[in-house]
Amino acid sequence: MRDTNVSTEAHILEAAFAVFSQNPGASLADVAKHAGVGRATLHRHFSGRDDLIVALTLTAARELDEAVEEATKDCQTYTQALEVALGAILPLAARHMFLATEPADNDPRVAEVYASQTRDLAHDIDMAKAEGGFDPHIPTEWIVQAYENLIYAGWAMVAAGDATPKQAAALAWRTLTQGTAK
C-alpha cells in the first residue's frame, strides 16, 4: 500500500521547486495550486514558507550530493573529482538557484548539512593540494570559498542564459585554477 502522505509531500516539493524556480517570490497558494492540492493540505505537510524552504534546501543538498557522487565515482584524483563535480552541480542551477536567496541555515538540520558539505569540500581540497592540484600555500578556506562562489556565479550565468551548464563549469574551473589573466 502506497503512503499517500509521502507522495503528497514529494509532489508538493516538486511543485515548489517548479514554482519558486520561476518566481522566487511566489506564494504558498501558488505552490498549492501548482501541486493540485488545497492550502490546508500544503499546511498539513509544511507549517509555513520557512518550513517548506527548509525541506527544499535539504532536498537540494541531497540532490547535489547524489549528483556529485555519481559523477565522480570513477575519478582517479581529488583534483579531477573537484573539476567533474562542477559539471554535475551546475546543471542543477534552474532547480536550485532560488534557494541562494532563501537562507535556511538558521535551521539546525540545514546548518549541519552545510557544515558537513563544507568539511567534505575542505577535505577534498586538502587532498587535491597534496596531489599538486592547488598551491599548498593558499589557505584551504580561501579555495573553499572561491569554489562555492564560483558555483554561485556559474548558476547565475546559467539562470541568465549567458552560459550553458557545461560552459559555466569550464569557466568556473578555469577561473579557480588559472585565474582570469591571459
Side-chain angles (χ1 to χ4, degrees), residues 7 28 39 54 57 66 69 86 92 94 108 111-112 114 130 132 155:
S7 63
L28 292 182
R39 286 175 40 192
V54 165
T57 301
E66 289 170 357
E69 187 68 31
L86 288 171
L92 297 171
E112 176 50 38
Y114 283 167
W155 278 6

Side-chain angles (χ1 to χ4, degrees), residues 84-140:
V84 169
L86 288 171
I89 292 168
L90 286 164
L92 297 171
R95 185 168 169 83
H96 296 165
M97 181 66 177
F98 74 91
L99 290 170
T101 61
E102 294 281 353
D105 53 354
N106 59 339
D107 181 279
R109 297 165 296 171
V110 172
E112 176 50 38
V113 167
Y114 283 167
S116 176
Q117 288 176 329
T118 301
R119 282 190 304 272
D120 291 347
L121 179 57
H123 171 268
D124 293 352
I125 287 169
D126 281 339
M127 298 305 288
K129 285 168 79 171
E131 296 168 349
F134 294 109
D135 183 338
H137 299 99
I138 297 175
T140 297

Side-chain angles (χ1 to χ4, degrees), residues 10-24 26-27 30-31 34-35 52 56 94-96 98:
H11 190 69
I12 292 169
L13 287 171
E14 285 306 308
F17 273 119
V19 169
F20 291 143
S21 67
Q22 294 300 309
N23 177 9
S27 69
D30 295 331
V31 172
H34 190 81
L52 179 57
L56 290 168
R95 185 168 169 83
H96 296 165
F98 74 91

